[in-house]
Amino acid sequence: MQTLPSVFQFAQLLAALVKMKQYSSSRIYVLKGIPVDIVTISTVINCFCHLNRVDYAFSLLAAIIKRGFVPNVVTYNTLIRGLISRDNPAEAQLLFTNLIRFKRIQPNVVTYNTIINGLCKRAHACTAVTLFRYMEKKGCQPDTVTYSTLIDCLCKLRLVDQALGLLREMTKKGITPNVITYSSLIQGLCDFNRWQDVNQLLSEMNTRNISPNVHTFNILVDAYGKEGMINDAEDVIEFMIQRGQHPDVVTYSALMDGYCLRGEVGKALAVLETTMKKRGIVPNIRTYNILINGYCKKLKVDRAVDLFQQLPREGLSPTIYTYTAILQGYFLTGRHVEARKFFDEKMMLNKGLKIGMVTCNTMLDGLFKNRCMDEAMSFFHLMQCNGPTPHIGSYNIMINGLCKNGNFEKAKIMFESLPSKDLLPNVKTYNIMIQGFLQEGLLDQANELFVGMKANDCLPDDVTYNTLIRGCFHNKKYNEAGVLIDEMVSRRFSADASTASLVLNLLESKEQDQNLLALRKRFLSPACY
């Protein structure tokens, strides 16, 4: 009828288009010159951000300011969210800082939550908490979203106790946690096997009438499975069904993973072929990856390859994880010729497959363990030339492989070259080299490296202490061994089976060495018990 809608009607239309995720259509309507106000403009800016065109959104912002419109807090919140979604957190923070500095808007809880979320996604927990305290100081009260975002970030950084402190703080302030809050905390506690605290949180959820959702239950199934507590994982699934929650592909994949970690691949296969099929749950590539990896670990590579070839019939495409699992399986069974053929023909010729560091390190490690020294060295040089650029993990494999294959001098040269490559040796690197020195009968050099690693702020672990203690015993340096044992115990490390067996044998021996007699006297005295 050639009648333009009112601004209000147009706003309703735009809102409907946005709900339908028809962002391009929303942009076109604005370009047609239909009357707009700040609400409709903010909506279209939001559409540009969803279309990953934040540059257009800022152009539109400049245009509306010229036309006399005053952007409100919703407009700027949208722009900040758009910058963060485009992985520009620094620009988002700068915009936020300038808005406060020049008093363009009064930030609301959504503004702060958006910035805090962006910081947390990049693991900048300290800055996020500082901003959180700043918003409180400015009189902007945090809500459940604020606390849940921070708690999730802290848990992912393994700062679970600090996260629990925030939970107590929010409940004292009368801010009610939700299922997302508790799920994050349960995941964090499961990572540390703090089952008693997990049960306490589940009980607290029940008291607050907050029902665990499928994601919460999946966290528990996965955690129990990884710890070999398969009966507990099955009990969780049974309980979630009783509560009216439907297990999904993630639930059963986690259960299958638990079975495979226990070496019970047959039971994992039964979950796929019986339980999942019965419930109409379609397996995804992760489900098959778990099975393929399980068969490879059980040295049943041919069965894994059968599943690999079955994937196209299931409408699934193998991932780099699928290929890497089979590659490792071939090496584990000593079939290094087939492994190299699989890598060359199935992986290198697959242009859509991005071969990363994990796969390359699997190849390196497999070649060394199958005593294919020349091929390993050639492959490493290929990585140096064509990528991916070897990192410290790759060098650890190389140094260890050289040591195990009787090339300690080459390993030593490679170790000494690390600083020139801007690489810092980690505790595993030092452990490999200390073991190498001891195998060469060079105890003094091993001790020097032990002192050097501490000087380089690389703290020794239980492997370091056990390796050196055994080295001292084999070289009849009983006094030095005793000092290391004391240091190891003070750091709450324990002797491994090899060290404990060696100590017991020495305590029972008839050797009359004075230092050994002193060590024997100390260990066998009542004070030790």
Side-chain angles (χ1 to χ4, degrees), residues 73-88:
V73 67
V74 176
T75 314
Y76 286 113
N77 286 351
T78 303
L79 286 167
I80 290 169
R81 190 182 299 113
L83 286 169
I84 288 173
S85 68
R86 292 294 295 156
D87 202 24
N88 289 318

Side-chain angles (χ1 to χ4, degrees), residues 48-114:
F48 279 129
C49 290
H50 277 291
L51 291 167
N52 293 326
R53 293 313 305 255
V54 184
D55 52 340
Y56 285 2
F58 274 97
S59 297
L60 188 56
L61 174 70
I64 64 171
I65 291 173
K66 286 180 181 178
R67 290 175 61 178
F69 288 109
V70 179
N72 57 24
V73 67
V74 176
T75 314
Y76 286 113
N77 286 351
T78 303
L79 286 167
I80 290 169
R81 190 182 299 113
L83 286 169
I84 288 173
S85 68
R86 292 294 295 156
D87 202 24
N88 289 318
E91 291 183 36
Q93 283 179 260
L94 181 63
L95 175 60
F96 174 74
T97 304
N98 287 336
L99 290 173
I100 294 174
R101 181 183 299 164
F102 298 113
K103 299 181 180 179
R104 302 294 293 269
I105 58 165
Q106 182 64 39
N108 59 17
V109 67
V110 176
T111 321
Y112 284 106
N113 285 352
T114 304

Side-chain angles (χ1 to χ4, degrees), residues 478-525:
Y478 303 120
N479 190 45
E480 289 90 331
V483 172
L484 284 169
I485 290 171
D486 288 339
E487 190 176 326
M488 179 174 72
V489 172
S490 70
R491 293 199 58 200
R492 298 184 178 181
F493 292 132
S494 301
D496 60 22
S498 298
T499 307
S501 176
L502 186 57
V503 170
L504 288 173
N505 289 337
L506 286 169
L507 293 178
E508 293 173 357
S509 75
K510 303 300 182 183
E511 189 177 342
Q512 295 302 305
D513 184 285
Q514 292 301 314
N515 289 325
L516 178 57
L517 291 171
L519 191 67
R520 187 183 297 152
K521 182 179 179 181
R522 193 179 70 178
F523 272 102
L524 295 178
S525 67

Side-chain angles (χ1 to χ4, degrees), residues 2 56 59 62 65 73 108 124 126 144 176 201 211 222 245 261 292 300 337 342 363 386 389 400 449 511:
Q2 296 184 349
Y56 285 2
S59 297
I65 291 173
V73 67
N108 59 17
H124 300 322
C126 185
T144 304
T176 307
L201 281 185
S211 297
D222 184 60
Q245 298 281 2
L261 289 171
I292 287 169
K300 297 181 178 180
V337 174
F342 182 78
M363 189 73 176
N386 300 330
T389 304
N400 187 52
L449 197 58
E511 189 177 342

Side-chain angles (χ1 to χ4, degrees), residues 252-266:
Y252 286 113
S253 295
L255 181 64
M256 289 169 62
D257 193 34
Y259 276 125
C260 287
L261 289 171
R262 285 162 56 108
E264 298 174 335
V265 190

